[in-house]
Amino acid sequence: MTLFERRISNICKRGAICSIKIGVSSLRAIYLQKEGYSIPEEMTVMSLLDTGASHTVITTGLLDKLNIKPIEFVHISSTTHSNVLKPRYDVNITFESHNRIIEDVLIIESNLRKGEYQCLIGRDILKNMLLIYNGITNCFTLCD
């Protein structure tokens, strides 16, 4: 099933970008309801579908709006640093265009370069999808 197809001007420079919603994980939502707490509202962020990223990463500080704490800390390496300890969170991610929810995803918080997106959707999520990138027509298609 096609989740969405997007045409992006100058896709070669901008990449495969899309809007997603990030919210507390399903398990956390059940706990909050059981304890009588309200569930924080999802937040919308722009994301880059990044086949070069092994893990999904969100810009530092954005998850503060959801008032959640990391479930663990993990060592990561990237093109700019090596073996750095970063917090990992459990969240739900919704691809807005078709309300496709991916539940209980582990995402890492790290400093992303300032730009058009605040999240990298890595191979940990993309491994369960089909991504078609067409540079000739400046579009991409994401299917599950």
Side-chain angles (χ1 to χ4, degrees):
M1 172 183 168
T2 298
L3 289 178
F4 54 85
E5 181 175 280
R6 290 209 50 206
R7 185 171 307 280
I8 298 176
S9 62
N10 199 4
I11 195 170
C12 184
K13 182 178 180 183
R14 296 174 67 201
I17 55 174
C18 63
S19 179
I20 62 169
K21 288 184 179 179
I22 297 179
V24 298
S25 68
S26 299
L27 295 173
R28 191 178 301 263
I30 290 168
Y31 172 78
L32 290 172
Q33 284 180 326
K34 181 180 173 185
E35 296 298 317
Y37 296 104
S38 61
I39 298 172
E41 200 167 315
E42 294 175 310
M43 63 179 175
T44 301
V45 299
M46 287 304 291
S47 64
L48 174 70
L49 305 180
D50 187 355
T51 61
S54 57
H55 299 285
T56 298
V57 178
I58 190 163
T59 299
T60 301
L62 285 181
L63 292 176
D64 293 345
K65 297 174 185 174
L66 295 178
N67 197 28
I68 60 175
K69 305 291 181 222
I71 60 167
E72 63 184 348
F73 287 81
V74 295
H75 287 92
I76 67 166
S77 296
S78 74
T79 56
T80 58
H81 52 272
S82 171
N83 203 28
V84 177
L85 197 60
K86 295 290 183 177
R88 185 157 44 182
Y89 298 81
D90 60 327
V91 299
N92 284 354
I93 292 178
T94 304
F95 286 91
E96 285 193 282
S97 56
H98 279 55
N99 282 332
R100 166 67 157 85
I101 300 173
I102 302 171
E103 295 183 309
D104 305 320
V105 174
L106 297 177
I107 64 172
I108 297 169
E109 184 180 65
S110 189
N111 297 322
L112 297 177
R113 66 181 172 96
K114 292 184 180 179
E116 192 171 353
Y117 53 86
Q118 299 84 39
C119 180
L120 300 177
I121 302 294
R123 294 189 309 270
D124 55 337
I125 292 177
L126 295 175
K127 69 182 179 186
N128 297 312
M129 299 178 167
L130 171 65
L131 172 62
I132 302 168
Y133 178 94
N134 188 335
I136 296 169
T137 61
N138 282 319
C139 71
F140 71 93
T141 304
L142 189 65
C143 308
D144 62 352

